[in-house]
Amino acid sequence: MTKVSMTVNGKAVSAEAEGRTLLSAYLREGLGLTGTHIGCDTSQCGACVVHVDGKAVKSCSVFAMDVAGSEVRTIEGMANADGSLSVLQQAFQDNHGLQCGFCTPGMVMASAALLADNPKPTEAEVRHHLEGNICRCTGYHNIVKAVLAASGQDVPAVAAE
Amino acid sequence: MPKDTGIGASSKRREDVRFLTGVGNYTDDLSLHAQTHAVMVRSTVAHGRIVKIDTARAAAMPGVLAVFTGEDFAAVGGNPAGWLINSRDGTPMREPKRPVLAHGKVRHVGDAYAAIIAETYAQAKDAAQALSDDTQIEELPAIVDMKAALADASNRVHDEIPDNLCFDWGWIEDNRAAVDAAMQAAPHKVTLELTNNRLVPNAMEPRASIGEYFPGTGDYKLTTTSQNPHLTRLLIAAFVMGIPENKLQVVAPDVGGGFGSKIYHYGEEALVLAAAKRLGRPVRWTAERTESFLSDAHGRDHVTKIELGCTKEGDILAIRTETHANVGAYLSNFSTATPTFLHGTLMSGPYKVPHVYVNVKAVFTNTAPVDAYRGAGRPEATYSLERVIDMMARELGLDPFEVRRRNLLTPDQFPYQSPVGLMYDTGNYQATLDKAVELGDVAGFEARRAASAAKGKLRGMGLSTWIEACGIAPSNLVGILGSRVGLYDAATVRVNATGNISVMVGAHSHGQGHETVFAQVVAEKLGIPESSVEIVHGDTAKIPFGMGSYGSRSLAVCGSAMDRAMDKIIAKGKKIAAHMLEAAEGDISFADGKFSVAGTDKAKTFGEIAFSAYVPHNYPLETLEPGLEETAFYDPANFTYPAGAYICEVEVDPDTGRVEVASFTCADDFGNVMNPMIVEGQVHGGVGQGIGQALLENTTYDENGQLLTGSFMDYAMPRADDVPFYTVDASCATPCTHNPLGVKGCGEAGAIGSPPAVINAVIDALHRGGITHVKHIDMPVSPGRVWQAINA
Ligand code: FES
Ligand code: FES
């Protein structure tokens, strides 16, 4: 066990980790940040997506030690400074982009990274970008709608239903 | 004007805020003082005799606190089947014991025969590997194929069951001869053999359980990913562990999806309780995704031959089916009800069919148990029926829309006694079909087809008109049919002294949004703001004995209990108001949150009455108890019958066989809709799963019983770019006549109605493209299967 330090949601943190400790486990068990979820063991589901130095990363696919010193942002760090929901989070609520909420942290983190790179994505770009995030509840309709709405675009009439 | 509060409003979900900010409370998020970690040791072979488990090395490994094997649970009970099915010859189904840990034999890959408890998860996992290496299992031939299982009496999943047959069920057996005769006499007969592919439910939250034991009181606590904590408690108490119910608290906190797979009690729940007691420390277990694939109850897995007799004009005269239903290695709790009473009773669909007979043989195999998955039996019935009707239309050269119109029940035929035992209360199947035709722009199809053709794609349109029976009950009827539980639900409405309300409900929300919708229903009836209502669910220590959520039952059954409890609150409130206002009770009316005296302006608000009930200074204490809290149990008088019409358009690439869903339109009748936003979301989710079944998902065991699709790398889950935006509508409502809210249930509809619409569209595309030799392709219609069918 060694102490691994990094910045998470703007705060300097450190916790014990083994060489094999994944970033996802470091966040959940080491720091008690359980908003980041584990939905699989093959890096396929995307429930664990966080931002490492501004890039969307599946936290189950990197070792905590390898990102020591990085700036990490998790779902717990996505709300506005006053605690209110950010535009993207609010769009998820307004558009019913979540049901059980388990995929949601990863969906929000992945979508936030998309919008940072591509502020006005097309429907196809949103769907393509979220290809690494599985949701079993929503059929994706309202997730895609939420991301388009958060980008400030008129959600296409077809999605209005 | 759409409403912005109460019944019919698209109220935003209050549960979203915690999920969107990462502070949900799922089982695995809990961390307890002095907790320990369990890892299950699972069979790597499909079928084998356990020769020896040498626990010495694993037990001595660093951090290991305990090793459990089947031996430790030999004296306790088994996990029972919740529904007794009798075979056609009157004999009861075969019910092998389903132990907490496999004992003597392992019966499927993933069958847990031991468990390690250690200080850390990594230590438990290391020791589990060691124990697996130190276990000797004599491998036996695997029984995978259902028909082979029945044919070979020498190879048995359970030694005491000679032909691997659980039951051979006929519905309705007494009608069999009449159906055979009608089939014989029919001018035209259509026969179709099809497979309803085996699915893994794959709720995104893997199963997890935490056991605690409190030596001071002898109490146990189980925190678990359950759709129905009371049922889990009952099963553990009455059948498996013998822990008295009042010594066991079961909590299902936030649960990340269920779709059926978290209805059932699983061995890991008993294991963590037993281990917590032995160690005096909390014991936690969380499935890895691979374990979920191996050990969650799977869904579907029917092989069916369906025959349809009709006139040359397309009037359906008779339907006869023969199905082999895989139940896997053990009977999961509702595995025997799913292919029978949730399947056979739906085999006349929304149609007037005079003669129907259903035969189901349930077969044990060396595969994971199979049970209810979203829709549970009803998707299987709908798929068989909607495929064979399309085939009939094609064989007779008739239009599939017209064929359905010809056979659909008409509004004047309700209530309708079906030939397979159900009494449909209301419906207007023409209306939903018309609506789907309009919203799906059927008139514009030809232009879209031409546009697809210009791109080299074959476009097709598929229809499915479906019905389901949900809100399952009534208890006395299902009791006659073999259910071993009641199917009522319960709610307690507690009006607090300051006028806000806690409602304790038996239903459980794992994505459905009950905390929001139930509050809307309460707010509407009591005339108070939604924000004054709190819905409490998921904890046996807080809620009355209800049956949880599955089968689209929450509002229809638990919502009705809530409504009845509120009736009692209002009735008591009137008595209090009559006293306070010095009026006769009969003169008090309640509306908009006020108790008022008829014909006067004298009134008391709901809050004033609540306060008076708890501070009863001016109160009829001689005749009325203080307090304002009421419980109601509601046992439904009938099933509810949601129905709808779904239209799917696909584009098929004839060169690669790839199918793309171009559009999907749903017109549903769910009765009254409480929150349109949530109802639409439920349909989206169901359709997404149905498209997954039709195009992508398949659970494959090889001939040795090895699961070839044991991860998200091999099992194709639908992803955002596999599906389109859906068009959904629930405006053609015929309210349910026998529950107070007039609701029918919407949770499973999408998964029931969609697979046949997709497959009908694919076959239609091929035929319109001149590829007329393809009569049927089994799901999932992967590019490979479609290409092979085209080039056969
Ligand atoms: S948990 Fe990281 S991708 Fe599934
Ligand atoms: S909301 Fe449940 S998995 Fe996406």
Side-chain angles (χ1 to χ4, degrees):
Chain A
M1 287 277 195
T2 359
K3 268 241 179 303
V4 172
S5 304
M6 58 186 81
T7 306
V8 177
N9 300 328
K11 285 198 209 83
V13 296
S14 62
E16 298 282 336
E18 292 181 67
R20 63 178 166 181
T21 305
L22 299 170
L23 177 58
S24 50
Y26 175 88
L27 293 168
R28 288 181 58 81
E29 288 147 37
L31 303 179
L33 292 173
T34 53
T36 298
H37 292 159
I38 315 289
C40 73
D41 42 18
T42 53
S43 297
Q44 301 281 307
C45 77
C48 64
V49 171
V50 301
H51 296 173
V52 177
D53 297 327
K55 291 231 169 333
V57 164
K58 287 179 170 171
S59 64
C60 71
S61 66
V62 292
F63 294 117
M65 279 186 180
D66 288 347
V67 294
S70 296
E71 291 265 357
V72 173
R73 184 171 296 277
T74 69
I75 187 72
E76 287 92 343
M78 290 302 281
N80 297 326
D82 65 357
S84 60
L85 297 182
S86 65
V87 170
L88 179 59
Q89 288 168 316
Q90 190 61 56
F92 266 76
Q93 184 184 32
D94 291 347
N95 291 282
H96 189 26
L98 61 154
Q99 292 183 21
C100 78
F102 199 79
C103 72
T104 309
M107 288 290 180
V108 170
M109 300 312 288
S111 305
L114 168 69
L115 295 179
D117 277 0
N118 179 359
K120 300 268 181 245
T122 63
E123 177 201 339
E125 286 171 337
V126 174
R127 290 188 184 275
H128 181 70
H129 182 83
L130 293 178
E131 199 256 359
N133 291 73
I134 303 176
C135 174
R136 195 50 148 171
C137 297
T138 63
Y140 301 101
H141 183 112
N142 286 338
I143 291 176
V144 176
K145 215 171 131 182
V147 178
L148 291 172
S151 74
Q153 304 186 74
D154 264 354
V155 179
V158 63
E161 236 336 297
Chain B
M1 261 292 278
K3 292 177 71 181
D4 57 7
T5 180
I7 287 178
S10 284
S11 299
K12 303 289 171 237
R13 300 200 329 165
R14 49 179 71 182
E15 40 276 84
D16 288 357
V17 178
R18 66 179 188 268
F19 298 146
L20 281 163
T21 52
V23 293
N25 176 33
Y26 300 88
T27 299
D28 189 66
D29 296 345
L30 231 77
S31 185
L32 297 172
H33 178 64
Q35 66 188 2
T36 65
H37 299 261
V39 168
M40 310 302 288
V41 189
R42 298 183 186 277
S43 177
T44 55
V45 301
H47 193 195
R49 216 167 286 288
I50 301 173
V51 179
K52 185 162 193 258
I53 305 176
D54 186 349
T55 59
R57 184 166 68 108
M61 285 174 69
V64 173
L65 300 165
V67 180
F68 285 83
T69 66
E71 198 62 47
D72 294 290
F73 295 94
V76 305
N79 190 0
W83 203 297
L84 171 69
I85 301 296
N86 289 314
S87 282
R88 290 163 45 207
D89 63 8
T91 56
M93 67 185 191
R94 276 83 162 253
E95 284 184 83
K97 180 175 175 181
R98 186 183 184 192
V100 175
L101 291 173
H103 192 216
K105 266 178 99 173
V106 286
R107 295 185 176 86
H108 64 92
V109 172
D111 200 3
Y113 60 85
I116 307 280
I117 321 293
E119 294 286 354
T120 71
Y121 173 72
Q123 289 168 333
K125 197 141 163 103
D126 289 346
Q129 184 59 54
L131 188 67
S132 175
D133 294 344
D134 294 349
T135 298
Q136 229 180 303
I137 293 179
E138 177 206 337
E139 196 170 348
L140 301 168
I143 302 158
V144 179
D145 178 74
M146 287 191 274
K147 288 177 187 166
L150 293 178
D152 181 5
S154 65
N155 197 10
R156 302 170 180 185
V157 177
H158 295 275
D159 296 351
E160 69 278 20
I161 299 175
D163 48 9
N164 298 305
L165 179 73
C166 178
F167 58 75
D168 176 1
W169 179 78
W171 190 251
I172 295 172
E173 194 56 24
D174 289 348
N175 297 345
R176 184 180 191 145
V179 174
D180 287 349
M183 191 66 78
Q184 189 71 35
H188 186 81
K189 198 169 123 184
V190 187
T191 304
L192 174 61
E193 294 191 36
L194 47 78
T195 295
N196 205 290
N197 42 329
R198 183 177 181 124
L199 304 175
V200 178
N202 275 323
M204 290 317 295
E205 179 202 25
R207 286 193 293 118
S209 302
I210 303 176
E212 292 173 80
Y213 178 72
F214 306 94
T217 54
D219 289 340
Y220 292 82
K221 179 175 178 183
L222 174 68
T223 307
T224 192
T225 49
S226 174
Q227 299 178 216
N228 39 8
H230 265 299
L231 191 64
T232 298
R233 186 175 79 162
L234 180 66
L235 289 168
I236 294 173
F239 296 93
V240 183
M241 305 271 289
I243 299 169
E245 273 179 282
N246 55 14
K247 287 292 184 191
L248 174 60
Q249 177 189 5
V250 177
V251 181
D254 287 329
V255 171
F259 316 111
S261 67
K262 293 172 181 169
I263 297 173
Y264 327 114
H265 167 53
Y266 290 89
E268 291 88 355
E269 292 171 327
L271 184 270
V272 295
L273 289 171
K277 179 168 189 194
R278 188 190 290 180
L279 297 175
R281 294 170 64 181
V283 178
R284 61 186 300 140
W285 169 82
T286 299
E288 294 186 341
R289 179 59 58 185
T290 305
E291 288 186 277
S292 307
F293 274 101
L294 292 172
S295 68
D296 288 3
H298 294 176
R300 318 283 192 254
D301 207 350
H302 284 194
V303 176
T304 294
K305 177 179 170 190
I306 180 164
E307 297 162 287
L308 178 150
C310 58
T311 65
K312 299 273 187 216
E313 294 71 40
D315 298 305
I316 305 170
L317 303 172
I319 287 169
R320 185 166 62 196
T321 70
E322 185 188 350
T323 288
H324 288 79
N326 199 338
V327 289
Y330 302 100
L331 295 181
S332 175
N333 300 139
F334 291 103
S335 60
T336 52
T338 301
T340 53
F341 289 104
L342 295 175
H343 167 243
T345 53
L346 267 297
M347 205 50 87
S348 66
Y351 308 108
K352 37 185 186 258
V353 186
H355 297 285
V356 182
Y357 174 77
V358 176
N359 172 238
V360 179
K361 296 178 181 68
V363 186
F364 290 105
T365 59
N366 292 120
T367 64
V370 180
D371 205 325
Y373 164 64
R374 200 170 195 166
R378 292 152 289 174
E380 294 89 319
T382 304
Y383 182 66
S384 300
L385 203 51
E386 291 304 297
R387 281 293 299 125
V388 81
I389 288 175
D390 241 49
M391 190 169 265
M392 168 182 79
R394 206 166 288 291
E395 287 186 7
L396 296 173
L398 301 172
D399 174 63
F401 287 77
E402 285 319 308
V403 157
R404 286 178 173 84
R405 282 187 204 285
R406 204 178 169 95
N407 288 284
L408 286 175
L409 291 162
T410 50
D412 55 301
Q413 287 173 300
F414 294 92
Y416 173 74
Q417 175 65 55
S418 87
V420 270
L422 296 178
M423 177 73 85
Y424 302 170
D425 62 339
T426 53
N428 186 343
Y429 307 144
Q430 286 75 14
T432 44
L433 180 51
D434 289 346
K435 192 59 153 181
V437 166
E438 174 202 326
L439 293 174
D441 185 24
V442 170
F445 174 77
E446 199 38 49
R448 293 190 295 276
R449 195 193 64 77
S452 298
K455 297 185 295 176
K457 301 280 174 62
L458 309 178
R459 197 178 187 102
M461 180 165 49
L463 169 67
S464 134
T465 45
W466 60 274
I467 183 173
E468 63 168 317
C470 45
I472 175 166
S475 294
N476 53 7
L477 172 67
V478 296
I480 294 168
L481 299 179
S483 171
R484 289 163 169 165
V485 290
L487 290 169
Y488 49 83
D489 217 290
T492 298
V493 176
R494 176 181 299 155
V495 183
N496 298 312
T498 53
N500 64 28
I501 293 182
S502 310
V503 186
M504 281 62 76
V505 294
H508 184 273
S509 182
H510 30 280
Q512 298 90 335
H514 295 170
E515 292 169 31
T516 301
V517 181
F518 284 16
Q520 289 177 250
V521 171
V522 172
E524 174 87 24
K525 181 142 176 162
L526 298 183
I528 54 172
E530 285 174 31
S531 58
S532 301
V533 184
E534 196 66 26
I535 303 298
V536 180
H537 63 107
D539 184 344
T540 59
K542 295 179 180 166
I543 61 170
F545 190 99
M547 304 304 291
S549 289
Y550 48 84
S552 308
R553 71 191 298 275
S554 302
L555 257 179
V557 188
C558 189
S560 298
M562 212 164 65
D563 191 79
R564 290 274 171 87
M566 287 192 286
D567 284 340
K568 295 186 191 178
I569 294 281
I570 293 169
K572 185 166 180 182
K574 284 183 178 171
K575 290 194 167 72
I576 301 170
H579 178 90
M580 292 172 77
L581 295 168
E582 296 173 341
E585 192 187 325
D587 291 339
I588 305 287
S589 63
F590 179 71
D592 302 325
K594 275 203 194 70
F595 294 89
S596 30
V597 184
T600 75
D601 58 359
K602 293 205 295 181
K604 289 282 174 196
T605 64
F606 189 79
E608 287 173 307
I609 296 299
F611 189 76
S612 171
Y614 288 96
V615 186
H617 295 162
N618 175 17
Y619 194 92
L621 283 169
E622 345 35 83
T623 53
L624 202 61
E625 294 170 6
L628 198 51
E629 170 169 334
E630 298 287 353
T631 295
F633 283 71
Y634 178 83
D635 201 90
N638 190 354
F639 292 83
T640 60
Y641 300 96
Y646 288 3
I647 297 174
C648 176
E649 282 186 31
V650 298
E651 272 189 347
V652 180
D653 183 335
D655 297 330
T656 64
R658 188 180 140 80
V659 177
E660 200 168 313
V661 176
S663 69
F664 205 101
T665 305
C666 307
D668 290 303
D669 174 3
F670 297 133
N672 294 333
V673 168
M674 303 291 113
N675 181 321
M677 175 191 82
I678 286 180
V679 166
E680 286 168 15
Q682 288 293 309
V683 177
H684 296 159
V687 171
Q689 291 181 349
I691 291 174
Q693 169 164 31
L695 295 187
L696 299 161
E697 298 178 41
N698 200 23
T699 310
T700 308
Y701 285 92
D702 72 8
E703 69 280 9
N704 299 316
Q706 290 294 333
L707 182 62
L708 301 182
T709 50
S711 81
F712 288 144
M713 293 194 289
D714 324 289
Y715 184 93
M717 292 283 279
R719 293 168 188 262
D721 56 359
D722 293 314
V723 294
F725 279 127
Y726 320 103
T727 302
V728 308
D729 175 274
S731 66
C732 303
T734 59
C736 172
T737 53
H738 57 79
N739 66 44
L741 299 171
V743 294
K744 295 184 170 181
C746 66
E748 297 161 295
I752 293 171
S754 58
V758 176
I759 303 304
N760 288 344
V762 171
I763 302 297
D764 184 60
L766 298 183
H767 280 249
R768 286 179 197 265
I771 304 165
T772 52
H773 67 275
V774 181
K775 308 286 180 227
H776 177 71
I777 309 175
D778 270 329
M779 300 187 289
V781 290
S782 59
R785 285 187 180 180
V786 175
W787 189 89
Q788 278 176 340
I790 292 173
N791 293 288

